Structure formats: structure tokens, C-alpha cells
Amino acid sequence: MTIQERKTALVFGGARGIGAAAVRRLAKDGYDVAFTYVSRPDSAKSLMTEIEEGGRRAVSIQADSADAEAIRAAVAKTVDAFGLIDAIVVNAGILRLNTVEAVRLEELDLMIDVNIRGVFLSIQSAVPHMKDGGRVITIGSNTAERTGMAGTSVYQFSKAAVAAMVKGLALDLATRRITVNNIQPGPTNTDMNAGAIEMLSDRSPLKRVANPDEIAGMVSYLAGPDTSFMTGASLTIDGGWTL
Ligand SMILES: NC(=O)c1ccc[n+]([C@@H]2O[C@H](COP(=O)([O-])OP(=O)(O)OC[C@H]3O[C@@H](n4cnc5c(N)ncnc54)[C@H](OP(=O)(O)O)[C@@H]3O)[C@@H](O)[C@H]2O)c1
């Protein structure tokens, strides 16, 4: 395979949870993968080694998605390593649960900075370095549609913003045949739900939460050739939670 034929991806927030599952799946699908992390250098290093041992190139980059310069630098490092990018997955996100009386200004700002502003800036920074016909995939949340739980208002509106954002971006990028789609997972077995898996499983129609690999399967689908006519869509994968 020549360098031009190699497929390349950049995952924002790829060292653990859903992002790490996406990194593994994209590597399995034949991508060289760069990914960012902010707090888990050890997880990032071991995932990089795992991907390289599997025969793909991997680059891990420390970059806070609340920091516009760090995002730009992460894209630049990816381009230095791989050249043009085929697919980006904007997965980095945070959840702070608090009812309206208790939400602190810092946590409001942080959720907006990472879950909304960081998503937009990641896409804006990467797009000039993407191939025409490339794929932009965001990780939103089924809470954009329905939460059913107190304490999630900020998280919920941040993810609703992502669902709205992909529609405008899809039109902006249509002339380059770059598709922009949003995955809306329901409760998934990651650190984000530590201590709540049993409660969430009980409340789910399928009586379990998702495995991160199931969300990564949808990343693979959206990155692949079968979705070239899908853009601006939000796809919910939540075991019937929002029905
Ligand atoms: N788990 C669920 O039930 C669920 C459901 C719906 C949607 N989601 C969404 O799925 C995405 C991944 O969540 P997860 O469940 O895998 O959660 P997680 O295990 O808590 O992982 C969070 C990910 O986001 C990264 N991240 C957090 N803050 C960041 C920042 N400031 N800059 C860069 N990266 C940052 C983390 O990087 P480090 O590892 O370096 O800290 C990590 O990769 C999030 O957008 C989340 O909102 C999750």
C-alpha cells in the first residue's frame, strides 16, 4: 500500500472508553490512527503500543479540547505524521451532574468549552487538512433527545448543540463531499458511568448498558463506504432508552 492509499484518522479523546474503542476499531479497519488525550498518558501509551503491534501506525498527542491552540497543534502533529486525514472522530466530552441550583459557573463553562466549543474547533481545525470525501463523526448523546433524569441539563443542552451543529457543518462541507454525522449513544460501560451501571441497566429496555465496542461499530459504519450519502444525521444507539 502506498502512502497515498493509506487511510488515516484522528480521534479527539481516544485513550479510554468509547474513544479507545473507536481507535481500536479504526485500526482494525485499516486506518493509521492519531488520538488525543488529556489526563491519561499511561492509557495513551499502552494503546499506542497495542495499535502499532497490530501493524498500524499510531500517534498519541496530549491536547486539552478546551484549548484552541492545543487542538490546532494536535491536528498539525497528525498531518506531520500521516499527511491528509480521511476521518475524524470528535469524542472528547465530560459529564458533571448537578441540578440547576448546584451548577457552578466553572463546571458550566467547562462543559460548554469541551462539549460544544471544543467540538466545533476540532472540526474547524481538521477540515482544511482532510481529503475530499472524508468523514467527520461526532459523539453526541441520546440525552440530546430525552434524559429522564434530573441533574443533566447542561450536559443535555451541550449534546443538543452538537446535534444542531452537524446539520450546518454538513451543508458547509457538502461541496467537498465530506460527510458530517453524529452518534448519540445511550448509557455505555465507561468511566463516565462508574458506580451507575446497575441502575442504568435496570432502567434500560434491554436491561444492560452498551459496550464501547458497539458504539465503535457505528463509528466504523459512518467512516466506511456504505454511508457516503448520509450527512447531517444524528444516529441514536441506546438500546431503546429514548423510546
Ligand atoms: N458513557 C456514556 O454513557 C455516554 C453516553 C452518551 C454519550 N457519551 C459521550 O461519549 C464520549 C466519550 O465518553 P466515555 O463514556 O468514553 O467517557 P470517559 O470514559 O469519561 O472518557 C472521556 C473521554 O474524553 C476525554 N476528555 C475529557 N475531557 C477532555 C478534555 N478537556 N480534552 C480532551 N479530551 C478530554 C478523555 O480523555 P482522558 O482519557 O485523557 O481523560 C476521554 O478520552 C463523550 O463525549 C460522552 O459525552 C457517553
Side-chain angles (χ1 to χ4, degrees):
M1 194 184 282
T2 68
I3 287 179
Q4 283 79 9
E5 286 165 340
R6 275 186 173 145
K7 294 190 289 182
T8 61
L10 168 59
V11 178
F12 292 91
R16 65 189 161 115
I18 291 170
V23 168
R24 288 191 179 95
R25 179 60 193 259
L26 288 167
K28 198 173 150 215
D29 291 349
Y31 288 79
D32 291 334
V33 190
F35 63 92
T36 70
Y37 65 95
V38 66
S39 71
R40 303 294 174 99
D42 293 347
S43 309
K45 197 167 172 217
S46 67
L47 181 58
M48 201 169 75
T49 306
E50 182 189 323
I51 299 302
E52 284 171 343
E53 283 174 358
R56 296 289 155 205
R57 292 186 299 168
V59 177
S60 71
I61 305 156
Q62 189 161 29
D64 184 345
S65 285
D67 177 346
E69 266 317 306
I71 291 171
R72 283 189 206 108
V75 170
K77 281 181 190 154
T78 304
V79 175
D80 278 354
F82 295 162
L84 291 179
I85 304 167
D86 290 276
I88 64 166
V89 180
V90 191
N91 168 75
I94 50 166
L95 166 69
R96 300 280 185 277
L97 289 172
N98 262 324
T99 53
V100 62
E101 309 90 326
V103 171
R104 288 174 296 109
L105 188 58
E106 308 85 82
E107 79 186 39
L108 173 66
D109 288 345
L110 190 61
M111 273 195 273
I112 291 171
D113 284 352
V114 176
N115 294 2
I116 306 176
R117 181 176 176 270
V119 173
F120 184 84
L121 290 175
S122 297
I123 297 168
Q124 188 184 48
S125 302
V127 152
H129 307 283
M130 290 184 70
K131 294 178 192 166
D132 288 356
R135 301 300 162 89
V136 173
I137 300 161
T138 57
I139 307 295
S141 164
N142 71 339
T143 58
E145 312 281 338
R146 174 176 177 271
T147 126
M149 235 184 261
T152 62
S153 64
V154 180
Y155 181 76
Q156 177 183 22
F157 82 62
S158 75
K159 295 300 191 176
V162 175
M165 192 189 302
V166 298
K167 295 182 188 180
L169 292 172
L171 294 182
D172 289 351
L173 297 172
T175 50
R176 292 183 54 200
R177 292 177 294 102
I178 294 175
T179 66
V180 188
N181 292 296
N182 178 38
I183 298 173
Q184 299 191 143
T188 304
N189 192 359
T190 68
D191 295 341
M192 192 169 271
N193 292 318
I197 298 297
E198 205 176 307
M199 177 276 288
L200 292 165
S201 300
D202 276 353
R203 290 187 58 168
S204 168
L206 289 181
K207 295 296 164 209
R208 68 174 180 89
V209 299
N211 181 306
D213 292 340
E214 293 175 300
I215 313 303
M218 194 169 268
V219 169
S220 169
Y221 174 59
L222 288 175
D226 291 340
T227 53
S228 47
F229 201 61
M230 184 190 298
T231 195
S234 283
L235 304 179
T236 296
I237 169 168
D238 72 350
W241 184 276
T242 37
L243 298 178

